[in-house]
Amino acid sequence: MIEITALTKSYGTTTVLDGIDLVVEEGQIAAVVGPSGAGKSTLARCINLLERPTSGAIAVNGQDLTRLSRRDLREARRQIGTVFQSANLLRRLTAAQNVALPMRHAGLPEQEVRRRVGDLLERVGMVHRANHYPSQLSGGQRQRIGIARGLALQPAVLLSDEATSGLDPESTRAILDLLTELRDDLGVTILVITHEMDVVRSIADLVAQLDHGRIVEQGTVADVVRRSDSALSRALLPMPPVPVDDDLRAWSVRYEAAAVSPVWLAQAGRELDTDIAVLAALVEAAGDSRVGRLTLGLDPRLDDRRVVEVLGRHGVVAEPVEGAVLRAVPAGSGVGAA
């Protein structure tokens, strides 16, 4: 597990990280998100002690890395593998030689190195590219080799610093599936640094938003989406814009309960004695539950308090979109009504 406590990193008078507290349990995938300059990459470098924190503690599997001597730290770093945005492979080494590099630096016997390289290349699906150089590999293939190299010393923790940035959707999906497989099969704890919300929704158990060096919101993905209408919540589960007219009143709805019935809209429509137009909706799995956001169109003559009360009984939070009404749904348009 990773336990970060009151972590601060300053360069002269500039504070880049300011009192970071974050816990990632063993076998979890956590994502740290935030705009450019928020301190995400500095956090990653502090976790693997490529950068020394100004203050605070970073513990991996109960061992505070900030208190170790230089020699002990070299040994402890073996618990942490890192995958960088561009894979950072040495261009004059083959894929197999890149994967072997950390093991050779650590002084492992050559027979053990060869065995592990073969196992790792097989795990990431790159045995057939073992003797290829980085220039002969696609971006996704280079990242697979980077992941294999990150696992070379059998770490307990894997840091992924923007590892899918710049990849096409198919390669991104393959890398995310691979990271999830590593978590499930090997029990590796994974910390993903990313600006891509699709990545967070796809694989993360936890999410933390970093802004100006501070964590401003964190929690499980499902909890963050359900408990608030924050900027992070909306980014994790965005809604498309809906055209405006003068027939139906717009309502913004968010799943709040962990379990919402799949037929709640039909039930709510019967209770309100009205049709409910679904103008936009996004409902996804998050862990063992579902999260959702919808834009509904309701008869503007309905009492607001009654709407809030009825919809609330079904485990959702409903708010009228002030000043907005939605156009009626044309027959056969494919937009649902209950």
Side-chain angles (χ1 to χ4, degrees):
M1 67 174 289
I2 306 169
E3 187 172 5
I4 302 171
T5 307
L7 177 67
T8 299
K9 177 63 181 179
S10 298
Y11 299 94
T13 59
T14 302
T15 298
V16 180
L17 298 175
D18 187 5
I20 301 295
D21 292 305
L22 180 65
V23 176
V24 186
E25 299 291 346
E26 182 179 354
Q28 286 188 325
I29 299 178
V32 176
V33 301
S36 296
K40 302 188 301 295
S41 292
T42 301
L43 177 60
R45 290 195 299 271
C46 284
I47 292 172
N48 58 21
L49 269 293
L50 292 177
E51 294 272 3
R52 277 277 182 179
T54 304
S55 62
I58 301 169
V60 174
N61 291 341
Q63 185 178 40
D64 186 354
L65 304 185
T66 63
R67 297 180 177 274
L68 298 180
S69 66
R70 184 168 301 201
R71 189 175 78 172
D72 290 341
L73 179 58
R74 281 198 299 269
E75 184 65 27
R77 276 203 184 111
R78 294 190 182 191
Q79 297 183 69
I80 305 172
T82 304
V83 184
F84 300 97
Q85 177 175 343
S86 59
N88 280 0
L89 302 180
L90 297 183
R91 59 188 179 87
R92 295 188 178 182
L93 299 183
T94 65
Q97 290 168 339
N98 268 282
V99 176
L101 196 60
M103 293 180 266
R104 292 196 169 118
H105 281 172
L108 271 63
E110 191 59 30
Q111 184 176 357
E112 175 71 4
V113 171
R114 287 196 297 270
R115 183 188 67 80
R116 281 201 204 174
V117 168
D119 289 347
L120 288 167
L121 289 177
E122 183 175 2
R123 175 164 286 281
V124 301
M126 291 296 292
V127 171
H128 63 303
R129 293 288 188 265
N131 296 317
H132 286 61
Y133 290 91
S135 62
Q136 299 171 306
L137 303 174
S138 69
Q141 289 172 336
R142 287 195 292 271
Q143 286 301 73
R144 286 175 175 269
I145 297 302
I147 291 171
R149 184 182 60 186
L151 295 170
L153 298 179
Q154 300 175 318
V157 169
L158 185 67
L159 302 181
S160 170
D161 190 358
E162 298 283 8
T164 60
S165 181
L167 297 182
D168 61 80
E170 183 177 352
S171 296
T172 295
R173 182 69 262 170
I175 295 300
L176 297 181
D177 288 345
L178 177 58
L179 291 176
T180 303
E181 178 186 305
L182 294 173
R183 186 272 308 274
D184 294 342
D185 291 352
L186 303 180
V188 178
T189 302
I190 301 175
L191 183 65
V192 177
I193 306 294
T194 185
H195 66 277
E196 299 171 296
M197 290 300 172
D198 287 345
V199 170
V200 181
R201 291 202 307 272
S202 295
I203 66 169
D205 302 302
L206 307 173
V207 60
Q209 183 182 16
L210 197 61
D211 192 18
H212 292 91
R214 295 185 176 184
I215 291 181
V216 295
E217 188 171 7
Q218 64 175 297
T220 68
V221 174
D223 284 348
V224 167
V225 172
R226 282 198 296 259
R227 75 184 175 207
S228 73
D229 198 37
S230 66
L232 177 58
S233 175
R234 292 193 300 273
L236 285 169
L237 207 63
M239 287 292 295
V242 178
V244 175
D245 208 322
D246 57 1
D247 297 311
L248 299 172
R249 188 169 187 197
W251 285 80
S252 175
V253 174
R254 184 182 78 253
Y255 282 22
E256 184 178 49
V260 175
S261 170
V263 296
W264 74 272
L265 269 176
Q267 294 169 341
R270 286 194 294 270
E271 293 174 48
L272 290 168
D273 192 26
T274 189
D275 290 335
I276 300 178
V278 180
L279 277 300
L282 180 58
V283 179
E284 292 191 353
D288 297 328
S289 60
R290 302 188 75 77
V291 294
R293 286 181 182 274
L294 303 89
T295 301
L296 305 180
L298 294 176
D299 188 329
R301 293 169 296 183
L302 290 170
D303 180 73
D304 284 359
R305 288 173 297 180
R306 172 71 173 154
V307 172
V308 171
E309 175 191 353
V310 169
L311 298 188
R313 287 202 295 266
H314 294 278
V316 303
V317 176
E319 296 179 353
V321 181
E322 294 302 334
V325 288
L326 304 173
R327 68 182 181 189
V329 185
S333 66
V335 179

